Amino acid sequence: MRTFQPIVAIALLLVSFGSTLAGAKNAAGDERAIRDLDALWSNAAGAKDLDKTVAFYADDASMLPSNAPVAHGKDAIRAVWSQFMSMPGYAMSFAPTKVVVATSREMAYEIGTYQFTANDAQGKPSASPGKFVVVWGKRGGQWKVIADIFNPDK
Amino acid sequence: MRTFQPIVAIALLLVSFGSTLAGAKNAAGDERAIRDLDALWSNAAGAKDLDKTVAFYADDASMLPSNAPVAHGKDAIRAVWSQFMSMPGYAMSFAPTKVVVATSREMAYEIGTYQFTANDAQGKPSASPGKFVVVWGKRGGQWKVIADIFNPDK
């Protein structure tokens, strides 16, 4: 076996080096994929497309809205978004300030800001900007929202 | 080279299988480590130990408090905790409901609930329970808080 060892060692090194390079390259691709998904998600939410907005969540996702209990699973998450979208003067958009992908490329987190507007008691648009953290996870090769929490700045 | 190939393949399989097993075992250890840290962190926060509370954050951490802007870095995070701890009737504790560690074991997320109490305008204790998401990252082999966001239930 002694003569095989260098060959095995070299093979392992090459595989390790290659997978590290590939991992770094693909992690950048994953960040790009998440940023692209986030833009589509924001567009869907802004367009009051309830089905499309909810489709970005994993089946086992948790949404943690301000001033409301945790929403577990798509039905509960759908109810929260439905309530938001039915508010008079509803307008919504959001975008990341940071996306970081785990080197294992099956978990990532995003920090971002949102612009939310709804009419006040006098029927005038009232902006309530805020911030959020979204945890993304891979489900069947596709990035999905696993946890979604947000709060207002003021 | 043809005769070496099965040996190389078996070696790679063994290394791969071994590291998968070790990864799964150690990921459980990481979850335990994070839960232990979380308990110590909650104790420090409850005891108004400002230095110890802030020590759980990474230098580049972000804290996203409700009704306030994002706090980047330890000085800004310290200022937020200092403000909380100086509130009359301050009491705080928190605990995880879920901790998930990435298979690469350098990123994890935690979902949990907190109990926060402070005196109201009449000087009577007013409880404001809530929920949070914390993203953990490994810094120099040690788990540190990378992102910390929370909001009230009501």
Side-chain angles (χ1 to χ4, degrees):
Chain A
M1 284 295 288
R2 203 181 290 171
T3 54
F4 298 157
Q5 285 176 6
I7 294 164
V8 172
I10 288 166
L12 288 176
L13 269 176
L14 286 177
V15 167
S16 171
F17 183 65
S19 71
T20 301
L21 279 186
K25 187 184 169 190
N26 291 329
D30 281 316
E31 180 184 338
R32 186 71 262 160
I34 289 171
R35 287 180 179 270
D36 288 347
L37 282 173
D38 205 75
L40 294 172
W41 188 23
S42 174
N43 286 345
K48 294 194 195 183
D49 189 331
L50 184 57
D51 286 345
K52 200 171 175 183
T53 301
V54 175
F56 288 86
Y57 293 85
D59 290 340
D60 59 343
S62 297
M63 186 183 189
L64 298 89
S66 278
N67 308 315
V70 181
H72 287 303
K74 282 199 173 183
D75 287 349
I77 289 168
R78 185 184 179 86
V80 174
W81 273 110
S82 177
Q83 198 181 353
F84 285 153
M85 290 177 181
S86 66
M87 294 170 80
Y90 164 92
M92 170 73 87
S93 68
F94 49 86
T97 53
K98 194 178 192 177
V99 174
V100 181
V101 181
T103 56
S104 48
R105 300 175 48 221
E106 100 298 15
M107 185 185 291
Y109 73 91
E110 172 188 1
I111 301 178
T113 57
Y114 65 81
Q115 301 297 324
F116 173 66
T117 304
N119 291 350
D120 62 17
Q122 285 74 44
K124 290 188 178 171
S126 172
S128 177
K131 53 210 175 297
F132 66 86
V133 170
V134 167
V135 178
W136 295 80
K138 252 186 196 154
R139 295 289 189 271
Q142 175 68 39
W143 286 104
K144 292 284 184 180
V145 176
I146 301 296
D148 174 20
I149 181 169
F150 46 90
N151 63 39
D153 289 341
K154 292 171 199 169
Chain B
M1 283 295 290
R2 203 182 289 172
T3 54
F4 296 157
Q5 285 177 5
I7 294 163
V8 172
I10 288 165
L12 288 176
L13 270 175
L14 287 176
V15 167
S16 170
F17 185 62
S19 69
T20 301
L21 280 184
K25 186 185 171 190
N26 291 328
D30 281 316
E31 179 183 339
R32 186 69 262 159
I34 289 170
R35 287 179 179 271
D36 289 347
L37 282 173
D38 206 75
L40 294 171
W41 187 25
S42 175
N43 287 345
K48 294 194 197 185
D49 189 331
L50 185 56
D51 286 345
K52 201 171 174 182
T53 301
V54 174
F56 287 86
Y57 293 85
D59 290 340
D60 59 343
S62 297
M63 185 183 189
L64 298 89
S66 277
N67 307 316
V70 181
H72 288 302
K74 282 198 174 184
D75 288 348
I77 289 168
R78 185 184 180 85
V80 174
W81 273 109
S82 178
Q83 197 180 355
F84 284 154
M85 290 178 182
S86 66
M87 294 170 82
Y90 165 92
M92 171 73 87
S93 68
F94 48 86
T97 52
K98 192 178 194 178
V99 175
V100 180
V101 181
T103 55
S104 48
R105 299 175 49 221
E106 100 296 17
M107 186 186 290
Y109 73 90
E110 173 189 1
I111 301 177
T113 57
Y114 66 81
Q115 301 296 324
F116 173 66
T117 304
N119 291 351
D120 63 16
Q122 285 74 45
K124 290 188 176 169
S126 171
S128 176
K131 54 210 175 298
F132 66 87
V133 170
V134 167
V135 178
W136 295 81
K138 252 187 197 155
R139 296 289 189 268
Q142 174 68 43
W143 286 105
K144 292 285 183 180
V145 176
I146 301 297
D148 175 20
I149 181 168
F150 46 90
N151 63 39
D153 289 343
K154 291 170 196 167

